[in-house]
Amino acid sequence: MEKTMHVLVFVAAVAAVLGISYLWSILSVKGLEFSHRFEKDRVFFGDTVNYIQEITNAKILPLAWIRVDTEVPAAVEFLKGNLVPHHRADKKILSGLYSLLWYQKIRRKYPVYCKSRGIFAFGPGILSTGDVFGFFEKEKPMGSTASLIVYPRIVDIIVAEGKPDITLSGVIGRKTLLTDPFCFTGTRDYVPGDLLKCVDWKSTAKLDRLRVKVYDSSFTKRISILLDVNTFEIAWEGIDPELSEFLVILAASVAKKALDQGFEVMLASNGRMASPEKDTDLITLIPYGSGSMHLRNILECLARLSNYSIFEIKEILPRTLGMLKKGSKVIYITGIWGKNTEKVVKLLQKMGMDVVLILAGKKNAKLKGPEGVLTYHALGEEAWREISLIKLV
């Protein structure tokens, strides 16, 4: 009889522990909150930024353990944190184990080194917790994602002695001609050299930064950048990753130089902008604009730009030419030179465009551009991660 009582007490104790543990596990996911973000969601290649996770236990029940597993891109480098493999090669799992008291909030910072340009999604993930004994485990999915955009590198662009400047070929500082003071097409950010009488004070007050009027005129300081992302003349031959990144750096640096000199800049490319949320156009076209916000748009575009395209550069011309006028300056940046690319240059020349050709890569070092076209060579693609300037020769 006494043994039977001991067994019953033991069974009752085990049942009570299991019941409490099960109830604890059910309640453990209640009032559990998770958020994540970056200190800065737009950074440059080579920067280090903190990825921040916050976990809140908004209830009276303490949590002996909680595991946070978050999907993160493999293309960035975590300088701190426990990473485990993911079933996808381009992903990893950031895993952290914590404990939380009642109504406690913890914050964890993970320094991330940005070793690749692009747009990266952190998340979704899973919160796992349970009872204090570990008998039962419950999961709570985290559907939110935090995005990080890594801009390409920007370096100084210098021209070899004896060669004209890349932007206006020796006519830097030239202003608009035949300006109609009663007809302006919009406003843009102020750049050094703009006249005080051109400031649009209404827009300046509204946006809290200096804005100037853009007048209709027969000549405007405009540059169109035409970027071919392919590194082989026939697309299926493959990708040269170093040359591909070098081309993007060239385009970003030329755009920055032109905008700093007060130009309106347009970017057209046969590359597609990647987006984790929605489909994008098969080619890229950023209309003319100026100022710091336009530079940001161009850099964001180049950050997301693919390094491969099924389209040849000539196939994007119909959409681009409608925005160009006779005499417009076009800077054509390419890492390949063949019959198709030569046809593009000749077509632009035939239409009266002022074409500047930049041939990138050591494989093009000895090639000459078409007669009558200002041609530069840009070398150093193998060291694109370290270079501080690009010399056009």
Side-chain angles (χ1 to χ4, degrees):
M1 188 71 175
E2 186 176 348
K3 286 185 177 181
T4 304
M5 285 296 296
H6 288 163
V7 171
L8 289 175
V9 169
F10 177 75
V11 170
V14 171
V17 169
L18 290 176
I20 293 172
S21 297
Y22 182 70
L23 181 61
W24 195 316
S25 69
I26 293 177
L27 295 175
S28 64
V29 294
K30 304 292 184 181
L32 198 56
E33 300 171 0
F34 173 84
S35 64
H36 56 159
R37 58 184 173 83
F38 290 93
E39 283 184 341
K40 295 186 295 182
D41 59 4
R42 286 169 171 78
V43 295
F44 281 91
F45 173 91
D47 287 350
T48 298
V49 63
N50 282 326
Y51 170 57
I52 301 172
Q53 290 187 341
E54 293 180 344
I55 305 102
T56 304
N57 182 25
K59 58 181 179 293
I60 198 169
L61 184 70
L63 299 177
W65 65 274
I66 176 171
R67 188 176 67 249
V68 182
D69 294 327
T70 313
E71 287 187 10
V72 296
V76 299
E77 180 180 346
F78 277 81
L79 304 181
K80 186 177 74 174
N82 178 38
L83 294 173
V84 296
H86 192 279
H87 67 274
R88 287 175 51 180
D90 62 337
K91 295 282 187 179
K92 288 184 179 180
I93 297 292
L94 176 64
S95 185
L97 189 62
Y98 318 104
S99 60
L100 286 168
L101 297 175
W102 47 88
Y103 298 107
Q104 184 185 8
K105 177 180 180 180
I106 62 172
R107 176 185 295 175
R108 293 292 181 268
K109 291 184 178 181
Y110 299 95
V112 175
Y113 174 68
C114 303
K115 62 181 182 179
S116 300
R117 69 173 174 88
I119 179 169
F120 304 105
F122 288 64
I126 296 175
L127 295 176
S128 303
T129 186
D131 63 285
V132 68
F133 302 107
F135 293 148
F136 301 98
E137 181 177 323
K138 294 293 182 180
E139 294 182 348
K140 183 176 183 178
M142 308 176 298
S144 65
T145 59
S147 295
L148 176 67
I149 296 177
V150 181
Y151 294 150
R153 297 189 64 206
I154 294 180
V155 301
D156 291 334
I157 300 287
I158 63 172
V159 179
E161 188 175 351
K163 285 265 190 175
D165 185 84
I166 184 63
T167 51
L168 268 182
S169 305
V171 290
I172 294 176
R174 187 177 174 187
K175 296 294 181 181
T176 57
L177 302 177
L178 303 179
T179 298
D180 184 352
F182 300 103
C183 181
F184 65 94
T185 58
T187 62
R188 60 170 174 79
D189 284 345
Y190 172 87
V191 294
D194 286 331
L195 298 176
L196 189 62
K197 67 179 182 180
C198 296
V199 173
D200 184 6
W201 297 110
K202 186 176 180 180
S203 296
T204 296
K206 184 178 181 180
L207 300 175
D208 198 25
R209 64 176 186 272
L210 276 176
R211 300 282 293 178
V212 296
K213 295 178 181 179
V214 178
Y215 294 99
D216 189 15
S217 62
S218 61
F219 175 82
T220 307
K221 294 176 66 175
R222 283 183 165 183
I223 284 180
S224 174
I225 298 174
L226 191 60
L227 173 63
D228 189 349
V229 297
N230 288 326
T231 51
F232 291 93
E233 190 168 6
I234 302 175
W236 52 259
E237 288 182 328
I239 300 171
D240 182 340
E242 292 183 339
L243 180 56
S244 176
E245 291 301 319
F246 190 63
L247 288 167
V248 174
I249 292 173
L250 262 173
S253 302
V254 170
K256 172 70 162 54
K257 180 181 177 70
L259 288 167
D260 285 348
Q261 293 179 350
F263 287 90
E264 291 185 0
V265 175
M266 179 179 78
L267 175 68
S269 176
N270 55 345
R272 183 178 187 175
M273 285 193 293
S275 174
E277 299 173 354
K278 59 183 180 181
D279 289 337
T280 56
D281 202 345
L282 294 176
I283 65 172
T284 297
L285 182 61
I286 305 295
Y288 284 111
S290 61
S292 58
M293 289 303 297
H294 189 62
L295 176 61
R296 174 174 164 169
N297 291 338
I298 290 177
L299 290 177
E300 186 167 322
C301 160
L302 292 173
R304 297 164 53 189
L305 200 65
S306 64
N307 57 2
Y308 172 86
S309 176
I310 59 174
F311 297 106
E312 295 177 1
I313 197 70
K314 65 180 181 182
E315 295 179 70
I316 75 168
L317 287 182
R319 288 180 57 179
T320 306
L321 292 176
M323 304 181 68
L324 301 175
K325 295 181 180 180
K326 187 175 181 179
S328 297
K329 177 170 284 295
V330 178
I331 299 179
Y332 180 20
I333 301 174
T334 181
I336 52 179
W337 185 248
K339 292 181 179 179
N340 291 329
T341 47
E342 189 173 2
K343 286 179 181 177
V344 171
V345 173
K346 289 183 176 179
L347 175 61
L348 291 171
Q349 275 187 303
K350 188 176 180 181
M351 297 187 65
M353 306 299 172
D354 180 11
V355 183
V356 175
L357 176 65
I358 301 180
L359 292 174
K362 56 187 178 182
K363 68 180 181 180
N364 298 315
K366 296 183 179 180
L367 296 179
K368 293 184 178 180
E371 186 177 349
V373 174
L374 180 59
T375 303
Y376 298 91
H377 291 85
L379 308 177
E381 70 271 24
E382 67 282 351
W384 66 268
R385 291 177 179 84
E386 296 86 23
I387 56 175
S388 58
L389 62 86
I390 296 175
K391 188 174 183 179
L392 303 179
V393 296

